[in-house]
Structures are given as C-alpha cells and as structure tokens.
Amino acid sequence: MPISVEEVFETVKMTLDHHFDIRTVTLGVNLKDCMDRNVTRLCGRIKQRIIEKGKLLNRFADETENKYGIPITNRRISVTPVALLLEPLPQQKKAAVQIAKALDYAAKKADIDFVGGFGAMVQKGMTKADENLIDAIPEALSKTERVCGFLNLASTSAGMNVNAVVKIGKKLKELARLTKNGIGCAKIAVFANVPEDNPFMAGAHHGIGESDFALNIGISGPGVVRDVVVKNPDCDLTQLSEVIKRTVFKITRAGELIGREMAKLMNVEFGIVDISLASTTSAGDSVAEIVEAMGVKSMGLPGSTAAIALLMDAVKKGGAMASGNVGGLSGTFIPVSEDSGMIRAVRAGTLSLEKLEALTAVCSVGLDMFAVPGNTSADVLSAIIADELSIGIINNKTTSVRVIPVPGKKAGSIVHFGGLLGSAPVMKTPQITSSKFVRRKGRIPAPIQALRN
Amino acid sequence: MAKKQASQICIVTVTGVDKVGIIARLANTMAQKNINIVDVNQKIMKEYFVMTMAIDMAAASIDMAKLKKQLDKIASEMSLKITVQDETIFKAMHRI
C-alpha cells in the first residue's frame, strides 16, 4: 500500500512542529585495549581513537540527517569506565585528571559535544583506582568542558555502597565550588542499576559487557506525544494509552531505522534504541506538559504519579513493539531545569523534592538536574542520593541523581545554566542533616528477591 | 554506459499559500538535476497548497544535501515550506 499524503504529513509535522528529533547518536567505544602502565602512552591511544571515530560519527550523522530529514541533535561518544583504565597506572589523582583532559581534547578535535564514561562501578566496593577516580572528579570535571562522569553506587544484586555515597556527597560540594553556579555537577550522574548501553549524558558509558564499538540511539518526542494527548481531550485513559502507544511506535521505528543505517555506515554493531522521552526547554517539548495535557492541573499535584505511570507504560509498550533493540534507560526523564513545565511547577509550588522522588518510583531515571541551596551539607546530599538509589534497588530498576548545590543561592531563587541545561529554581531542601545515618557507612545489604508483597 | 542503480525514491513535501508556478519551478529543478518525478499528489485546502512529490534520485547529478539547499532557496523565494526525505522513513513509521 503506497504511503498516503496524510501519513507523509504526519511525519513531516512531527519534525517541523513538534520537535521530533534523534536526540543523540552515541558511539560506545571500548578503550580496554589502550591500557598501559604509562599514562602518556595511554592518553595518546585514547585521543587517536576518539578523534578518528568522532569525526566519522559526525560525517555519517550529517549524511543520515539529510537523507531522512530527521534532525540528529547530538553526536556523542561513551567509553569504557575510566576507573578500569586507571588500574595499571600509579594511583595518583593527576593520572585520572590527565585522562579526562585527553578525552576533552579529543572531543573538541572531533567536534563531539560530550564524552561519557569518566566513572566507576563501585556498587559493592572500591579498588584503589576507583577511589582515585572519585577523588579526581572535582578537578577532572571542572577543568574540562565535554567530559561527563558517572558512578554506579548501588544495584539490586549488591545493595548500596554507602562508603562511596558519603564520599561522592563531599566531592559534589567540591565540584560545585569549583564551577560557576555549580554547573560542573550537571556533568555527573550517580546510579543504582546503571545500564551499560545508555546513550544519554551525563550517565553514558560503554559497559564492560559490550563489544569494541556499539552505535546507540536516543530518540526524543515529548512534543509529539503531547500533541496526540492534546488532540484526544475526551477519550478515556485506556484509549489514551492506545494513542500514545501508536505514536511512540512510529517514532521508535524512525530511531531504529536511523540507528541501523548509522551503524552500517560506520561498520560497527547496532546497539540499542533508548525510547526515553527527553524534554528540552523549547515550548511544548515537555514531559510535565504531557501530564498536564492528560488533565492534571499542574505537574506534581495528586494524579501526577498515576499519569506518569500510564504514560511510561504506554511508551514502553509502543517502543517494544517497534524495535527488538530497545535498551539503555528507556524511562522518562523529568529533569527539573531542562523541562519548561517542570520549572513552572516548581515555581508555582506544586512540585516539591518529595513528590519528584515519588514520581521517579514509577517512571523516570531519577532525580535529574535539580538545584538545591548552596549551603546544603554533603551529608544531606548523600542522604538524598541514598533515598533515591534505594528506590532503584528495591524496584529492580535504574534510578539516578544529578543534583546541583548552587553556591550562594537560597531556596526559591533561579539559576540560569544556559543552553541545553536550561535554568532551575533552587528547590527547598531540608537542612537538618541525617549525618548519623549515612556516616555509619558500610553497605546496605542486597534486598531479598522473594516475598514481594 | 552509465552504471545502473536501483531506484532511490524520496518524498518532497510542499506546503504554503497557493500561487502560480510552484510545480513548474520544482519540476524544472528536478529536470536540470536529472531527477525523475515518479508521482505527484496535490490538494488545495482553502487557499493552502499541500503537495507530495515522489522523486527518484538514483540517476541524480546532485546528492540529497545539495538538493535540499536548492529546495530551501525555492522555499524562501516562494514563501513555502519544502522538505525532502528518503521514503524508507515513511515506510518504517507507518507500515508494520
């Protein structure tokens, strides 16, 4: 059956009017074979590989974008967790910082906007190299522009490494002090159950179970989903789930096609399509506005959690039907600073940190891009992280935290980060510390997997 | 003899206010670049002009990026919106 005029225009409208784009093509790059006892030699190999592959990635992304008329907004690279590369090196902070600088240099040379993977898997324990990497985070991320970091601090099978949670609380404070408005903290996400093939920054890395290269795609269509919800103002919720499913099917198919084509052009394996709805600050490209279009008066009010749960389930069903390669995070991002509806809800007082945490239990990848007062203590940050990661551990899902303690700012003020990162209202955060709890340290044991009521 | 290629069908869409010469201008550009027009569908909705044109780029003398630039020029001169996309994207999205 030939494609009808209506079908053609449905696709065209998605990109022209509703911000449908391929949010990112992320090339996963194995660096394990670059390891050396000499950091300069290691960095030389890293630079060579990333510059070569990064340039190719940009070239083929431009070609594919022109062919299919769907914008490919970001071209990124994720690498083997850097803590692994540190293992054979002398355990000094400067080696970790040097690697971060090499990654940054290569990204600039290849015109790649972010390189992810400056991180470690420490859910159960930390090697000397892991500790070294975490110690280097403030300097590495403040002295580079394009390097992103991640830490996996917890998993359902290992429990939570509270020693590392306490350590990163302090490092986040340091990093915030070293960068304007604490923006360096936007470049690091900490996780429970981190996926090894996530294409989205800041948490992307090329996991140790991956092959030499993998081409991963992140699609994004909050505007498209919002449009179908707006066009169905009176249908019941079962029907609403159906129309969302159908729309997500279509955009996932576009992502799959483009991913496969890019992988073929680059002569690498096609990895996954991440079907996460990823908002931008553009008007209408907001997950909060989808919830509001469903009928919740403002994001964060009662009804929001149920609405997000329905939305996410429909997204997953539509996406899973469209592609056998759905992977990565495939949740819904609800970043406070990058979503105009979320910003509005925080300013209107309908969305609190506590409700945000509840929302992440049914959908998203976690507490993302939220600003807290600069005087929030490291222990409070660690306790917020511990709470959020517990949701991931117990529910067998990924959760993450990307928190920005903004130096000198108080709750209620607005911080402008600029560009893709948007602006964030500083959220009210309890200042009474739970130091005694987190400073007990140790490991929260892995949860029981039976008796699930 | 030129190397024979399988067809590469792309869909051009045009929207805007109807005026004299839209199809003529497009057809002229395609002919100059050795692009075969396979099918045209057009509708006038109120004073709005909506058109899809299937073209075969297999023997074209320019690539998609250059064609896009030419179409962008026509679009701005005639106050239209013009897109061009490989037809596989529509098949992927609208056919199981």
Side-chain angles (χ1 to χ4, degrees), chain A residues 293-370:
Chain A
M294 283 179 178
V296 175
K297 186 84 180 144
S298 173
M299 181 61 148
L301 290 175
S304 304
T305 312
I308 283 272
L310 180 153
L311 169 67
M312 206 49 250
D313 180 65
V315 166
K316 285 178 188 163
K317 285 171 178 162
M321 170 80 182
S323 166
N325 288 56
V326 171
L329 292 165
S330 289
T332 286
F333 292 96
I334 38 174
V336 176
S337 80
E338 297 167 0
D339 183 312
S340 50
M342 297 288 285
I343 296 171
R344 217 169 29 242
V346 172
R347 295 185 75 173
T350 58
L351 180 63
S352 64
L353 186 55
E354 291 73 16
K355 186 62 177 180
L356 189 62
E357 187 182 298
L359 292 171
T360 68
V362 297
C363 78
S364 98
V365 281
L367 299 171
D368 196 22
M369 283 302 288
F370 69 105

Side-chain angles (χ1 to χ4, degrees), chain A residues 216-438:
Chain A
N216 300 319
I217 284 267
I219 58 167
S220 177
V224 179
V225 174
R226 180 178 164 273
D227 182 57
V228 294
V229 175
V230 168
K231 281 188 182 137
N232 289 275
D234 299 316
C235 69
D236 73 13
L237 294 172
T238 318
Q239 193 55 37
L240 192 61
S241 163
E242 286 299 313
V243 296
I244 295 172
K245 233 161 73 176
R246 263 181 250 148
T247 300
V248 173
F249 172 85
K250 290 172 191 167
I251 59 178
T252 308
R253 288 280 282 227
E256 156 111 4
L257 175 72
I258 288 168
R260 285 198 183 279
E261 174 115 359
M262 284 283 299
K264 202 169 141 198
L265 287 169
M266 296 210 55
N267 197 21
V268 298
E269 242 173 66
F270 174 49
I272 57 97
V273 186
D274 191 318
I275 55 172
S276 298
L277 294 175
S279 32
T280 65
T281 43
S282 308
D285 205 21
S286 150
V287 174
E289 285 175 11
I290 300 175
V291 169
E292 289 165 4
M294 283 179 178
V296 175
K297 186 84 180 144
S298 173
M299 181 61 148
L301 290 175
S304 304
T305 312
I308 283 272
L310 180 153
L311 169 67
M312 206 49 250
D313 180 65
V315 166
K316 285 178 188 163
K317 285 171 178 162
M321 170 80 182
S323 166
N325 288 56
V326 171
L329 292 165
S330 289
T332 286
F333 292 96
I334 38 174
V336 176
S337 80
E338 297 167 0
D339 183 312
S340 50
M342 297 288 285
I343 296 171
R344 217 169 29 242
V346 172
R347 295 185 75 173
T350 58
L351 180 63
S352 64
L353 186 55
E354 291 73 16
K355 186 62 177 180
L356 189 62
E357 187 182 298
L359 292 171
T360 68
V362 297
C363 78
S364 98
V365 281
L367 299 171
D368 196 22
M369 283 302 288
F370 69 105
V372 297
N375 61 356
T376 307
S377 73
D379 285 343
V380 169
L381 294 181
S382 294
I384 291 173
I385 291 170
D387 280 349
E388 180 62 26
L389 301 192
S390 308
I391 293 174
I393 297 175
I394 300 294
N395 294 302
N396 251 314
K397 73 192 280 290
T398 304
T399 50
S400 78
V401 178
R402 193 156 52 135
V403 56
I404 304 158
V406 189
K409 295 280 181 184
K410 293 201 170 79
S413 50
I414 304 280
V415 205
H416 301 283
F417 297 125
L420 270 181
L421 300 172
S423 58
V426 177
M427 294 179 91
K428 203 173 154 210
T429 313
Q431 296 298 323
I432 306 160
T433 66
S434 308
S435 305
K436 200 167 173 191
F437 177 70
V438 290

Side-chain angles (χ1 to χ4, degrees), chain A residues 6-7 11 67-68 253, chain B residues 43 64 85-86 92 94-95:
Chain A
E6 287 74 17
E7 286 169 328
T11 297
K67 182 170 178 188
Y68 294 114
R253 288 280 282 227
Chain B
K43 276 182 189 168
M64 293 270 296
Q85 292 166 279
D86 193 289
H94 299 284
R95 296 288 177 271

Side-chain angles (χ1 to χ4, degrees), chain B:
Chain B
M1 206 175 101
K3 204 172 103 186
K4 282 208 172 178
Q5 263 190 320
S7 63
Q8 190 203 340
I9 305 291
C10 296
I11 309 283
V12 177
T13 72
V14 183
T15 45
V17 177
D18 192 25
K19 56 174 77 73
V20 174
I22 298 176
I23 293 190
R25 181 87 193 267
L26 285 168
N28 208 2
T29 304
M30 302 301 170
Q32 276 171 16
K33 307 299 172 196
N34 203 33
I35 296 167
N36 187 25
I37 298 174
V38 182
D39 189 20
V40 178
N41 268 301
Q42 87 162 78
K43 276 182 189 168
I44 310 281
M45 298 195 296
K46 292 182 186 167
E47 74 277 21
Y48 244 74
F49 177 85
V50 178
M51 185 188 81
T52 62
M53 179 186 270
I55 57 171
D56 188 350
M57 294 279 295
S61 59
I62 52 171
D63 64 8
M64 293 270 296
K66 290 207 179 98
L67 175 63
K68 213 170 234 182
K69 272 195 188 140
Q70 298 241 339
L71 295 179
D72 283 347
K73 195 163 163 259
I74 298 175
S76 72
E77 282 169 15
M78 300 187 82
S79 306
L80 301 165
K81 268 187 187 171
I82 306 183
T83 63
V84 56
Q85 292 166 279
D86 193 289
E87 80 159 347
T88 27
I89 193 87
F90 302 103
K91 284 191 173 155
M93 290 174 83
H94 299 284
R95 296 288 177 271
I96 295 178

